[in-house]
Amino acid sequence: MARIFILWLHGLGDSGPANEFIQTQFKSADLKNAVWLFPSAPFNPVTCNNGAVMRSWFDVPELPFEVGSPIDESSVLEAVKSVHSIIDQEIAQGTNPENVFICGLSQGGALTLASVLLYPKTLGGGAVLSGWVPLSSSIISQFPEEAKKTPILWSHGTDDNLVLYEAGQAAIPFLNEAGVTCEFKSYPGLGHSISNKELKYIESWIKRRLKTSSSSTCLQLNCLKDLLS
């Protein structure tokens, strides 16, 4: 059975181990052999918390995050390098890039988006939960063509008061401009948190993506077989 890799990126001030329970919510037999990784962000001073040091993938100038809130793109790009290193190592072990999924909550969701859009290969998908766009539109021209083929699933609660729902919705025109497919799922009444309903949908989405990837691989193999026969 092909190796499936799921990378989960936590939110600001959280840690990887504190999120490991999420794996137990994915009960599908199709994912029972999936390899999960829950890394922890390094300790860094965070501007929105008056410079307090905490686990943070990159600096966040302002919270709550609203449409038009400032971003620190340079520190985001540094964090992306770390995520890309993890993905590179996984692919080097033989995992098909289209069986690699990145998921993240809040700051981890923002990093998921940036990491997917700047990776040189098409991945299985990126799932953003209550995240935001941590990049300026001026960087869209740097997105690799293969990266643009990686689909994005965006989940956001309508009652989120830390990363406002409207800030999440701002991803839609950004991704449209970039030529990236995005499915935006709204969760009425949900605040800045994860719901079982969200996780169940992400699980089904990953399963659909795997089937799509498998069908595509089979088609390519059949075409190659026809050419050689």
Side-chain angles (χ1 to χ4, degrees):
M1 186 175 181
R3 180 179 169 103
I4 301 165
F5 181 70
I6 302 174
L7 175 63
W8 189 279
L9 304 176
H10 65 76
L12 179 66
D14 206 350
S15 72
N19 285 260
E20 289 178 357
F21 74 93
I22 290 168
Q23 180 179 351
T24 66
Q25 304 303 305
F26 285 59
K27 304 182 186 299
S28 170
D30 294 336
L31 301 178
K32 68 178 181 179
N33 294 320
V35 176
W36 291 72
L37 183 63
F38 295 86
S40 292
F43 287 97
N44 286 307
V46 179
T47 300
C48 68
N49 284 333
N50 298 314
V53 174
M54 59 183 60
R55 289 197 181 278
S56 178
W57 300 109
F58 53 85
D59 193 25
V60 180
E62 177 180 287
L63 283 179
F65 195 92
E66 305 174 349
V67 175
S69 284
I71 57 174
D72 186 340
E73 191 169 77
S74 62
S75 67
V76 172
L77 295 177
E78 282 301 311
V80 164
K81 293 178 183 177
S82 297
V83 176
H84 283 184
S85 178
I86 293 173
I87 301 171
D88 288 343
Q89 290 176 34
E90 183 61 30
I91 293 174
Q93 292 180 31
T95 303
N96 185 329
E98 293 191 4
N99 287 346
V100 172
F101 295 86
I102 311 178
C103 308
L105 172 67
S106 191
Q107 188 193 41
L111 181 55
T112 291
L113 183 70
S115 299
V116 166
L117 295 178
L118 289 165
Y119 197 68
K121 297 179 180 179
T122 303
L123 303 177
V128 179
L129 296 84
S130 303
W132 67 88
V133 178
L135 303 170
S136 62
S137 58
S138 62
I139 204 173
I140 288 178
S141 61
Q142 298 179 37
F143 295 165
E145 288 304 313
E146 290 301 310
K148 295 179 183 180
K149 299 176 185 176
T150 302
I152 300 295
L153 172 63
W154 197 293
S155 305
H156 218 112
T158 59
D159 291 0
D160 193 329
N161 58 8
L162 190 61
V163 180
L164 300 192
Y165 178 71
E166 293 76 15
Q169 285 185 308
I172 298 174
F174 177 87
L175 291 172
N176 282 341
E177 182 182 349
V180 177
T181 299
C182 177
E183 178 182 356
F184 191 96
K185 293 279 290 181
S186 301
Y187 289 86
L190 181 66
H192 194 70
S193 61
I194 303 174
S195 72
N196 287 333
K197 190 174 182 181
E198 273 183 300
L199 293 177
K200 288 298 179 187
Y201 191 82
I202 292 171
E203 180 181 38
S204 66
W205 177 75
I206 290 176
K207 288 168 60 179
R208 289 197 305 273
R209 289 294 307 146
L210 289 170
K211 289 178 180 177
T212 299
S213 173
S214 177
S215 298
S216 176
T217 300
C218 289
L219 181 60
Q220 291 172 11
L221 289 174
N222 287 334
C223 288
L224 179 60
K225 185 177 179 181
D226 290 341
L227 287 172
L228 295 175
S229 60

